[in-house]
C-alpha cells in the first residue's frame, strides 16, 4: 500500500544517514526502511519509507524519520474513518485534534504549524511530556489540562473569550498563556489568561520570593508546616470567606477569588500576593485585605454581587 502524492521516488542521491536501505526505529510502529527520496519537487526534504510490520509505504520528512516520529497511519478512506482518526489522542496520550474548522497547519507547502496549535501542543507538553517514564517538566508536576481542552477544536473555540487574547493575536512573541495569576494547577477557560512575557516573568519572581523560607528559620518552620497551615485555615474559615488550598511545588498556598483577581496567602512565609503585587501579613491581615477589596468593589459597583463571596 502506498500513501504519497506521485508515488515516485529515486535513489540517485547521497546522504550520510537517509541513504536507500537505511533502517530506523519509530516510536510506535516498529522499524521503517528508506526506499529513496521523493520526486515531488514541492516536497523538499521528503523521503519514501516502508514500514516493516505493516508494509505501508509513505512519504515522511527526513528529520521526522531520524527522530522516529513517523507513523504508518493510512489516509482515511471514509468520512467516518477520518473523524475516528481526528478523535484519537495522539498527543501525549491525551490530546486530539477533534472534528472542526480549526486547522493545525498554517502553510501546506512548508507544513508550518499554526500559532494556536503550537500554543495548545506546548501546553500539553508541559503537563504530560515524559522521558523514560518520568515527567520532563518538573515544575509542572500535578498540573493538568481540563478535559475540554484535550480537544484542539474546543481549545481554539474558547481562545477568543480569554482575557488578553487580542493582544496575544496581534503581538506574536510578546504575550503568553498563563495559569499562575489564578494560582490554580489546571489549564482551563476559567483559570488562564494571556499576559505579557514581562508580567509573567515578574509574577514568577514574586511567587518564588513568596515561597522562599529564610535559611535561619527553615528547619523551625518546616517542622510546623501542617500546624501553620491549619492555623491560617481556622482564621479564614471563621471569617466565612470562601477559599481553596493549592500546591505550589512542595508548599501549600491558600487562594481566594476577588473581582480584582486571585489573592494568594503563603502560610509558611506570611506573604500575600495579588497578580504582580506582594505584601506581608498573617492570616488576619489576609482576611482584612480580602474584605477591603470587597468593600472597594461594592462601593464602585453598587448592586452587583462580589465574586469573593462571604457566606
Amino acid at each position: 500500500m502506498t500513501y504519497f502524492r506521485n508515488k515516485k521516488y529515486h535513489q540517485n542521491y547521497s546522504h550520510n544517514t537517509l541513504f536507500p536501505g537505511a533502517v530506523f526505529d519509530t516510536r510506535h510502529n516498529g522499524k521503517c526502511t528508506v526506499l529513496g527520496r521523493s520526486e515531488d519537487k514541492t516536497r523538499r526534504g521528503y523521503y519514501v519509507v516502508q514500514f516493516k510490520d505493516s508494509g505501508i509505504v509513505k512519504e515522511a520528512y527526513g528529520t521526522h524519520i531520524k527522530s522516529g516520529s513517523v507513523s504508518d497511519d493510512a489516509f482515511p478512506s471514509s468520512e467516518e474513518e477520518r473523524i475516528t482518526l481526528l478523535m484519537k489522542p495522539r498527543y501525549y496520550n491525551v490530546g486530539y485534534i477533534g472534528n472542526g474548522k480549526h486547522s493545525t497547519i498554517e502553510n501546506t507547502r512548508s507544513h508550518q504549524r499554526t500559532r494556536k496549535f503550537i500554543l495548545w501542543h506546548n501546553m500539553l507538553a508541559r503537563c504530560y511530556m515524559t522521558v523514560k517514564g518520568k515527567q520532563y517538566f518538573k515544575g509542572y508536576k500535578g498540573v493538568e489540562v481540563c478535559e475540554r481542552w484535550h480537544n484542539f477544536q474546543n481549545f481554539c473555540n474558547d481562545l477568543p473569550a480569554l482575557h488578553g487574547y487580542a493582544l496575544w493575536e496581534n503581538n506574536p512573541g510578546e504575550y503568553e498563556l498563563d495559569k499562575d495569576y489564578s494560582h490554580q494547577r489546571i489549564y482551563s477557560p476559567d483559570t488562564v489568561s494571556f499576559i505579557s512575557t514581562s508580567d509573567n516573568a515578574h509574577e514568577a519572581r514574586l511567587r518564588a520570593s513568596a515561597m522562599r523560607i529564610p535559611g535561619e528559620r527553615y528547619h523551625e518552620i518546616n517542622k510546623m508546616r501542617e500546624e501553620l497551615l491549619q492555623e491560617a485555615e481556622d482564621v479564614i474559615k471563621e471569617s466565612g470567606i470562601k477559599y481553596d488550598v493549592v500546591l505550589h511545588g512542595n508548599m501549600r498556598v491558600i487562594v481566594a477569588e476577588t473581582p480584582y483577581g486571585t489573592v494568594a496567602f503563603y502560610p509558611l512565609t506570611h506573604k500575600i500576593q495579588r497578580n504582580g503585587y506582594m505584601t506581608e501579613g498573617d492570616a488576619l491581615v489576609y482576611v482584612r485585605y480580602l474584605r477591603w477589596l470587597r468593600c472597594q468593589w461594592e462601593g464602585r459597583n453598587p448592586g452587583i454581587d462580589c465574586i469573593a463571596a462571604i457566606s
Side-chain angles (χ1 to χ4, degrees), residues 66-96:
K66 290 189 286 186
S67 67
S69 57
V70 292
S71 74
D72 64 357
D73 287 342
F75 294 134
S77 58
S78 66
E79 179 65 11
E80 182 179 353
E81 187 176 332
R82 185 186 74 85
I83 294 175
T84 299
L85 287 174
L86 289 173
M87 301 302 286
K88 182 180 178 181
R90 301 169 58 92
Y91 300 92
Y92 308 105
N93 294 320
V94 294
Y96 55 96

Side-chain angles (χ1 to χ4, degrees), residues 268-307:
L268 303 190
T269 58
H270 283 186
K271 297 291 177 64
I272 300 169
Q273 181 185 0
R274 178 172 69 88
N275 298 339
Y277 306 94
M278 188 168 68
T279 188
E280 296 185 0
D282 58 15
L284 285 172
V285 174
Y286 180 63
V287 168
R288 286 198 292 268
Y289 181 54
L290 292 174
R291 284 176 169 163
W292 178 80
L293 289 175
R294 178 187 174 94
C295 290
Q296 291 293 307
W297 170 264
E298 291 176 343
R300 296 170 181 173
N301 303 275
I304 302 178
D305 192 22
C306 179
I307 296 174

Side-chain angles (χ1 to χ4, degrees), residues 197-210:
T197 54
S198 58
D199 284 348
N200 197 11
H202 176 63
E203 193 277 336
R205 287 193 296 270
L206 282 181
R207 191 161 14 96
S209 173

Side-chain angles (χ1 to χ4, degrees), residues 61 82 100 106 158 221 227-228 276:
Y61 193 54
R82 185 186 74 85
E106 185 81 44
D158 292 343
I221 292 175
E227 296 174 37
L228 293 172

Side-chain angles (χ1 to χ4, degrees), residues 2-9 38-44 46-48 57-60 75 105 107-111:
T2 56
Y3 293 97
F4 54 101
R5 292 184 178 184
N6 58 15
K7 299 186 179 181
K8 293 182 180 180
Y9 62 89
S38 172
E39 287 194 358
D40 189 339
K41 294 182 179 180
T42 66
R43 310 270 282 177
R44 291 189 62 184
Y46 278 78
Y47 295 79
V48 176
V57 178
K58 64 187 297 185
E59 277 183 332
F75 294 134
I105 302 295
N107 187 314
T108 55
R109 293 192 65 180
S110 66
H111 277 231

